[in-house]
Amino acid sequence: SQQGEEDPQALSIQEGENATMNCSYKTSINNLQWYRQNSGRGLVHLILIRSNEREKHSGRLRVTLDTSKKSSSLLITASRAADTASYFCATVLLGGGADGLTFGKGTHLIIQP
Amino acid sequence: DTAVSQTPKYLVTQMGNDKSIKCEQNLGHDTMYWYKQDSKKFLKIMFSYNNKELIINETVPNRFSPKSPDKAHLNLHINSLELGDSAVYFCASSVPIGDTQYFGPGTRLTVL
């Protein structure tokens, strides 16, 4: 069954603005990961945050994790046209590393030049 | 230099045929996976393979079978293809298990 739900499903902003995407999940996790998928391409890993971590940064990306609310957010600061893509959160369930990633439905982000 | 590669990139075939998709990773990872992405872009795990242990998602029809000739390869074989099998199939690998996954470019399968 689906684990993650991203919100919003689609987001359109102006270049230079910040973009925030949210993800909620249902069961206890080992870690939560964010991936980007450009149109017609494979998935690219962005950030992994473990269940005992609350915040992580990577360049213009900031990810937070609230295990009490079973939610995560991805913030992209100073967006660029090249950030246009679909963004997926994915969870590894507690004790379920061998089960692979459980993906949400994704947020389609469009950066207007 | 491609970390995870898949062939073919596109596969168009008739219903009822049997086809295979190949996947190779040169990262030295112990675990490999197959995912299916449907027309609504929803991604779902199909299989994970770690140290000769295969874990199958219960929703995957037994017409689908992964085959691993060695640690660097996990091929996907599909028997008696159906219209509903049309999707993009992604191979991925990771180490350690449950950590960051590296995805291949995908294989778009179209069943006519």
Side-chain angles (χ1 to χ4, degrees):
Chain A
S1 62
Q2 186 180 330
Q3 165 79 321
E5 290 274 354
E6 279 95 338
D7 169 49
Q9 289 189 346
L11 178 62
S12 180
I13 61 174
Q14 294 295 122
E15 196 167 18
E17 293 180 338
N18 296 341
T20 300
M21 287 159 271
N22 302 299
C23 168
S24 60
Y25 57 92
K26 297 174 184 174
T27 57
S28 296
I29 60 170
N30 177 291
N31 66 70
L32 184 145
Q33 304 178 31
W34 285 90
Y35 288 82
R36 184 185 75 228
Q37 184 179 32
N38 290 88
S39 181
R41 307 289 290 274
L43 285 90
V44 174
H45 178 262
L46 297 176
I47 287 187
L48 180 153
I49 186 164
R50 302 194 187 279
S51 60
N52 61 351
E53 298 175 310
R54 292 297 167 257
E55 188 170 313
K56 242 180 161 175
H57 297 255
S58 176
R60 295 183 295 112
L61 306 181
R62 172 178 168 253
V63 166
T64 62
L65 179 65
D66 186 333
T67 52
S68 66
K69 294 181 179 178
K70 291 186 168 60
S71 67
S72 174
S73 68
L74 169 67
L75 168 67
I76 303 174
T77 59
S79 63
R80 304 168 182 169
D83 294 329
T84 294
S86 291
Y87 291 81
F88 294 89
C89 73
T91 54
V92 176
L93 303 184
L94 196 62
D99 297 334
L101 295 168
T102 303
F103 281 89
K105 289 182 178 178
T107 292
H108 185 52
L109 175 65
I110 297 172
I111 308 299
Q112 309 272 9
Chain B
D1 286 302
T2 305
V4 182
S5 60
Q6 293 177 230
T7 53
K9 189 170 174 62
Y10 300 97
L11 183 54
V12 180
T13 188
Q14 299 288 332
M15 228 170 26
N17 285 349
D18 301 339
K19 290 293 178 185
S20 292
I21 305 172
K22 294 185 177 180
C23 176
E24 177 181 2
Q25 54 97 2
N26 62 7
L27 299 167
H29 289 171
D30 292 325
T31 310
M32 296 183 72
Y33 311 83
W34 277 103
Y35 291 87
K36 178 181 180 180
Q37 186 172 42
D38 64 23
S39 58
K40 296 183 179 179
K41 300 187 85 173
F42 181 57
L43 280 143
K44 195 167 187 179
I45 181 75
M46 299 177 71
F47 305 99
S48 67
Y49 193 83
N50 173 262
N51 264 339
K52 299 187 180 180
E53 182 188 359
L54 177 66
I55 296 176
I56 304 170
N57 184 299
E58 61 188 13
T59 65
V60 176
N62 58 15
R63 297 181 294 103
F64 289 78
S65 57
K67 299 189 192 307
S68 180
D70 55 56
K71 199 174 89 165
H73 296 83
L74 184 66
N75 303 324
L76 181 65
H77 190 76
I78 316 168
N79 288 328
S80 303
L81 278 156
E82 300 178 358
L83 294 176
D85 297 333
S86 294
V88 181
Y89 292 85
F90 288 99
C91 176
S93 70
S94 73
V95 64
I97 196 168
D99 218 278
T100 298
Q101 293 194 14
Y102 294 82
F103 282 78
T107 295
R108 182 175 292 277
L109 171 65
T110 303
V111 181
L112 303 175

